[in-house]
Amino acid sequence: MRNDKENLIVKLTFEFALDIIDYSESIRNLNRFEMASQIFRCGTSIGANIKEAQNAESKADFIHKFKISAKEADELQYWLELCMKSEFYPNPSEELLNKLKSINLIISKIISSSKNK
């Protein structure tokens, strides 16, 4: 299933992971290590699983990797909402939240269209 041409979702999630690294480091600088680690892990895992899906052994494996990415994105949404509601954490930027929303939509569409092929 490998295709080495530029892939929009791979590119978007890689760039998003860089944004997540910046945001989690801003939390780590406040000595909030647990939250920073949670955000870092699930935020970077989205793209890592999508990248891994590019070498899927089957269509089912491809879909499975994307479903893992979707779960990681949902978990990240939870942690970001906690940061927004807590006075102890910096709010994530609107841009970060919008990127996550766009990535979620694309992942859902890829899963749906892959199942229908």
Side-chain angles (χ1 to χ4, degrees), residues 14-32:
F14 183 84
E15 292 170 356
F16 182 73
L18 293 172
D19 293 338
I20 286 297
I21 291 169
D22 289 343
Y23 180 64
S24 65
E25 284 304 311
S26 71
I27 295 172
R28 192 173 306 281
N29 289 336
L30 297 172
N31 296 321
R32 306 282 195 259

Side-chain angles (χ1 to χ4, degrees), residues 59-82:
K59 184 166 97 169
D61 186 35
F62 179 85
I63 292 168
H64 177 69
K65 299 292 185 218
F66 267 84
K67 284 184 176 183
I68 293 170
S69 291
K71 288 179 180 184
E72 294 291 345
D74 286 345
E75 181 181 344
L76 177 60
Q77 181 69 42
Y78 174 79
W79 296 119
L80 294 179
E81 287 174 8
L82 282 177

Side-chain angles (χ1 to χ4, degrees), residues 39-68:
I39 289 170
F40 179 90
R41 279 194 292 271
C42 59
T44 57
S45 180
I46 298 166
N49 280 290
I50 287 173
K51 182 72 173 175
E52 189 176 343
Q54 305 313 298
N55 291 310
E57 295 176 11
S58 65
K59 184 166 97 169
D61 186 35
F62 179 85
I63 292 168
H64 177 69
K65 299 292 185 218
F66 267 84
K67 284 184 176 183
I68 293 170

